[in-house]
């Protein structure tokens, strides 16, 4: 009987076989750039040689992105990242996943146990885990990890059923878009949040941060004023996303005032 050959995952390094990594969900194997023909990892959506964006899953062209873009965005977003770091999930699902460990946080045999198998998770659990992995890397200035896991997080979000595209998941997707410099997609998510829940604090927060990122002081001030004006009434609704992000929202209110 022949043994199945194993190879390291291009994203997290976990040995395995098949088309996708059981630890982090990345696609295995290499492919070739459509621009220059250079060999590139399957998990990367842009060529590291010439910068040409590659077609993602389903043939859709990926947005161009490089380490310089992520690095610049992380620098500008330093204050926002401090606020994100204060955000804790209070739901049981988040607590259970935190106990299991972060994606790629500890290799097998390193004292952290085996990495979680993303293939056994629901679409929402997978998106949540990847989002947390990217945020943790961003807080440490690890742009390589941000770039590596960003395409997987985006694909995980696109696979979410309508019922899971809540204000909270839209907010987290918006922050991921902002982290890689895609402000139009960030604003699109903010607009959708505001359509579903008028005066939602996370919507005003996102608009304020984007305005600050773009150097729009008037837009930033307007969004902060609207956030401030809506704060008490919105918090009184007890919406779940407000409970989950309470420390961040209150810190942002203090800074706005």
């Amino acid at each position: 009987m022949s043994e199945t050959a194993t190879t390291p995952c291009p994203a997290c390094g976990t040995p395995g076989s098949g088309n996708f990594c059981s630890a982090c969900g990345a696609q295995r194997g290499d492919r070739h750039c459509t621009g220059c023909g250079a060999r590139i990892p399957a998990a990367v959506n842009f060529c590291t040689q010439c910068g040409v964006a590659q077609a993602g899953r389903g043939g859709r062209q990926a947005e161009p992105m490089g380490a310089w873009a992520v690095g610049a965005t992380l620098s500008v977003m330093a204050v926002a990242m401090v606020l994100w770091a204060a955000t804790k999930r209070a739901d049981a699902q988040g607590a259970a996943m935190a106990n299991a460990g972060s994606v790629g946080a500890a290799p097998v045999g390193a004292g952290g146990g085996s990495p979680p198998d993303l293939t056994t998770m629901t679409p929402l659990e997978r998106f949540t885990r990847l989002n947390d992995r990217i945020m943790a890397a961003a807080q440490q200035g690890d742009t390589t990890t941000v770039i590596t896991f960003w395409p997987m997080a985006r694909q995980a979000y696109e696979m979410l059923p309508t019922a899971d595209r809540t204000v909270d998941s839209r907010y987290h997707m918006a922050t991921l878009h902002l982290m890689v410099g895609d402000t139009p997609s960030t604003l699109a998510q903010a607009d959708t949040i505001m359509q579903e829940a008028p005066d939602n604090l996370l919507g005003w927060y996102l608009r304020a941060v984007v305005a600050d990122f773009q150097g729009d002081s008037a837009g930033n001030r307007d969004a902060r004023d609207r956030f401030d004006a809506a704060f008490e009434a919105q918090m009184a609704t007890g919406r779940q996303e407000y409970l989950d992000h309470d420390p961040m929202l209150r810190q942002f209110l203090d800074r706005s005032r």
Side-chain angles (χ1 to χ4, degrees):
M1 180 182 297
S2 60
E3 295 184 355
T4 302
T6 61
T7 58
C9 169
C12 70
T14 301
S17 59
N19 294 328
F20 297 92
C21 176
S22 63
C24 71
Q27 185 176 352
R28 292 182 172 278
D30 291 332
R31 53 181 174 164
H32 295 275
C33 172
T34 56
C36 67
R39 185 181 296 274
I40 57 176
V44 174
N45 277 0
F46 62 93
C47 179
T48 56
Q49 299 297 317
C50 69
V52 171
Q54 307 299 303
R57 187 172 297 177
R60 186 166 63 85
Q61 195 74 2
E63 294 91 342
M65 179 176 65
W68 61 270
V70 176
T73 305
L74 291 179
S75 177
V76 175
M77 294 299 297
V79 174
M81 288 309 303
V82 171
L83 299 181
W84 290 331
T87 300
K88 303 295 183 182
R89 284 186 172 77
D91 57 288
Q93 178 192 68
M97 293 177 65
N99 291 334
S102 298
V103 173
V108 177
S114 299
D117 186 352
L118 292 183
T119 62
T120 66
M121 298 180 183
T122 66
L124 182 58
E125 289 173 338
R126 179 178 295 190
F127 172 69
T128 300
R129 179 60 61 83
L130 291 168
N131 172 77
D132 290 348
R133 181 69 179 91
I134 292 173
M135 288 299 170
Q139 291 164 23
Q140 298 170 7
D142 183 358
T143 58
T144 299
T145 297
V146 172
I147 292 172
T148 298
F149 285 92
W150 154 246
M152 291 185 286
R154 181 181 60 190
Q155 291 168 356
Y157 179 81
E158 291 172 350
M159 294 173 64
L160 289 179
T162 302
D164 286 338
R165 297 203 179 193
T166 61
V167 168
D168 188 64
S169 62
R170 290 187 183 281
Y171 164 73
H172 285 292
M173 191 63 218
T175 60
L176 292 177
H177 277 300
L178 186 59
M179 189 175 298
V180 297
D182 186 359
T183 53
S185 293
T186 301
L187 287 176
Q189 290 287 3
D191 289 345
T192 302
I193 289 174
M194 301 291 271
Q195 289 173 4
E196 296 178 358
D199 259 353
N200 189 278
L201 297 178
L202 293 179
W204 288 125
Y205 169 79
L206 290 169
R207 289 182 178 180
V209 174
V210 169
D212 185 49
F213 176 73
Q214 295 176 330
D216 180 5
S217 58
N220 175 266
R221 186 69 262 168
D222 179 68
R224 285 176 176 270
D225 287 344
R226 291 174 180 271
F227 177 96
D228 193 347
F231 187 83
E232 296 300 335
Q234 285 293 306
M235 291 298 286
T237 65
R239 293 179 65 94
Q240 186 61 47
E241 65 265 22
Y242 297 159
L243 299 177
D244 292 345
H245 299 282
D246 185 272
M248 180 272 286
L249 292 171
R250 294 188 183 280
Q251 287 183 42
F252 189 70
L253 177 68
D254 291 341
R255 297 180 69 87
S256 295
R257 290 176 173 175

